[in-house]
Amino acid sequence: MVNDLQEHNFRYQQAYSNRGFLLAVAYLSLMVIGCSQKTAVNPPANSNSASQVVSNNQNSEKNNVVRLGYQKGGIIPISRQRGDLEKQLTAQKIKVEWTGPFDRCATLLAALNGNRADIGGCGDIPTISGIASGQPLCIGSVQRPKADSLGSAILVRGDSHIRKPADLIGKKVAVNQGGAGEYLLLKVLEKENIPKDKVQRVYLSPNDAAPALYQGSVDGWAVWEPYISIAELEHKARRITTTHPAPTYGVMVVRGDAAKDHPVAIKSALTALSQDGEWLNQHTDAAADFMVKELKVSEAVAKQATKNRGPESYVFPDANDIAKLQKTADWLLEQKILPKRVDIAASVCPLGTTATR
């Protein structure tokens, strides 16, 4: 992602004489942990061979490692900077490894699917899409949606004549396919009673959508923070939506085998991430400082993005969360965004958890 940000910035500097565009992905990342195992000392003569004892030692060491996959942005890279999570898990004899950064949820989920990470933070839409495609993932903890959040928006250029969603009829809007951007656009059109085929969706990654908007290749862009604040403060873009008509969940996604084989360790890691989030909620200036360091954005962008996103509170999903996520999954199926129905209750990690608050 660092390379993507640099490449993106270089492209902007070529197209404009103003400041470069820096990207970050709003970001999923994930860990695999195993329970501690004691190995035999001075095994009896009729025990397994010494080579098997060595193998057991190696398995024990491997099972005590948690791999946290991260994008640029979100709670996981902040936890990496802060250091408390690693200390807490080390005290429980769990070694933490960090893998990333990944450029977007799709590549992070692919890392989970390929056993290169165990826990990672994504949005609910790409998570549900990943599960529907057959990836062995489960939902560990969730960040509940906030109705008044300004963390997502449809943006237009500052000099655009587009002022409201109805003005998008006959226009092109950049979205990430099967992700939060496409979901936002479709929900806005639904709320405004605008047939979805009246607005052309152009499938672009955020890295490509921003220059497409600024150069006039598309008329709008459905996106999230911190892209919104970068676009508004550094490129004079303007939002035509305020709050989300169907706010989305954040999700800590877990590799299915890790959750099944090492539920206690996975739960410990998710709990530590939640505690880091609660600390940041009480120290918003620190949260903005972490964003400046992680994303290399300006202090103004970091402060606005932090305020727009709101609290970083993760909890274990309860029955109400499951019902709301199921409603989202069923709607995605109706819109033919998913290839098949996803059973959310069956997709929650088997950690024996209940909501933390």
Side-chain angles (χ1 to χ4, degrees):
M1 184 68 175
V2 173
N3 291 334
D4 286 343
L5 287 169
Q6 292 171 342
E7 176 187 351
H8 203 213
N9 188 32
F10 178 71
R11 255 190 276 169
Y12 287 166
Q13 288 174 341
Q14 285 186 317
Y16 308 94
S17 58
N18 59 356
R19 298 174 59 187
F21 180 78
L22 299 173
L23 291 176
V25 167
Y27 324 23
L28 348 111
S29 299
L30 304 157
M31 338 168 188
V32 80
I33 329 171
C35 303
S36 305
Q37 300 178 3
K38 295 184 179 179
T39 56
V41 178
N42 297 324
N46 61 351
S47 68
N48 293 333
S49 67
S51 62
Q52 183 167 345
V53 173
V54 172
S55 176
N56 288 340
N57 286 338
Q58 290 172 342
N59 287 337
S60 177
E61 181 179 349
K62 180 179 179 181
N63 289 342
N64 281 322
V65 175
V66 170
R67 297 170 298 175
L68 292 163
Y70 65 96
Q71 301 179 64
K72 298 288 273 185
I75 188 65
I76 292 181
I78 291 178
S79 292
R80 183 178 181 227
Q81 284 190 53
R82 188 166 177 248
D84 280 28
L85 177 146
E86 193 159 357
K87 292 177 183 177
Q88 183 176 337
L89 295 185
T90 297
Q92 300 175 50
K93 297 184 179 179
I94 299 170
K95 180 182 177 181
V96 176
E97 292 181 356
W98 308 91
T99 176
F102 298 97
D103 60 350
R104 55 189 180 274
C105 275
T107 50
L108 189 151
L109 295 179
L112 290 169
N113 184 42
N115 193 19
R116 300 191 304 277
D118 306 307
I119 298 177
C122 277
D124 56 358
I125 309 303
T127 298
I128 293 170
S129 295
I131 293 171
S133 69
Q135 296 183 32
L137 310 170
C138 63
I139 297 169
S141 59
V142 297
Q143 182 182 30
R144 289 170 178 154
K146 299 168 283 292
D148 59 348
S149 172
L150 298 174
S152 61
I154 297 177
L155 300 175
V156 297
R157 292 182 298 280
D159 60 357
S160 173
H161 296 299
I162 298 172
R163 298 288 170 180
K164 57 186 183 299
D167 296 335
L168 294 173
I169 293 175
K171 305 296 185 183
K172 298 177 181 179
V173 179
V175 299
N176 59 323
Q177 186 173 13
E182 184 171 22
Y183 181 71
L184 169 61
L185 175 62
L186 291 175
K187 277 295 183 180
V188 168
L189 296 179
E190 182 180 70
K191 180 184 178 183
E192 300 293 329
N193 295 314
I194 301 170
K196 63 183 180 181
D197 60 357
K198 295 295 185 182
V199 178
Q200 182 179 345
R201 281 167 276 169
V202 179
Y203 294 126
L204 295 172
S205 69
N207 198 47
D208 295 320
L213 177 68
Y214 305 144
Q215 295 169 7
S217 299
V218 297
D219 305 289
W221 181 21
V223 71
W224 53 90
E225 286 291 4
Y227 296 102
I228 295 170
S229 291
I230 294 171
E232 287 182 322
L233 297 179
E234 299 188 355
H235 298 278
K236 297 181 171 55
R238 172 169 49 82
R239 64 166 69 216
I240 62 168
T241 61
T242 52
T243 55
H244 199 307
T248 57
Y249 277 80
V251 178
M252 284 296 162
V253 196
V254 180
R255 188 172 61 85
D257 284 348
K260 181 178 68 174
D261 297 339
H262 312 296
V264 174
I266 291 293
K267 184 176 179 180
S268 295
L270 293 173
T271 298
L273 284 168
S274 176
Q275 291 170 351
D276 266 351
E278 293 304 326
W279 184 90
L280 288 169
N281 295 340
Q282 303 300 318
H283 302 83
T284 54
D285 287 343
D289 289 342
F290 283 131
M291 185 179 290
V292 170
K293 294 174 184 176
E294 181 70 23
L295 304 181
K296 312 304 180 190
V297 295
S298 70
E299 183 178 350
V301 165
K303 286 185 175 181
Q304 178 172 299
T306 299
K307 181 180 179 180
N308 286 350
R309 287 177 56 140
E312 292 276 0
S313 299
Y314 278 87
V315 298
F316 295 112
D318 61 16
N320 186 51
D321 299 317
I322 292 170
K324 289 180 177 178
L325 287 168
Q326 187 64 62
K327 185 177 180 180
T328 297
D330 291 344
W331 186 88
L332 291 171
L333 182 64
E334 292 172 5
Q335 299 298 314
K336 299 182 179 179
I337 293 175
L338 300 184
K340 65 179 181 180
R341 186 177 187 272
V342 172
D343 184 343
I344 297 297
S347 302
V348 173
C349 298
L351 304 177
T353 56
T354 55
T356 59
R357 63 175 186 165

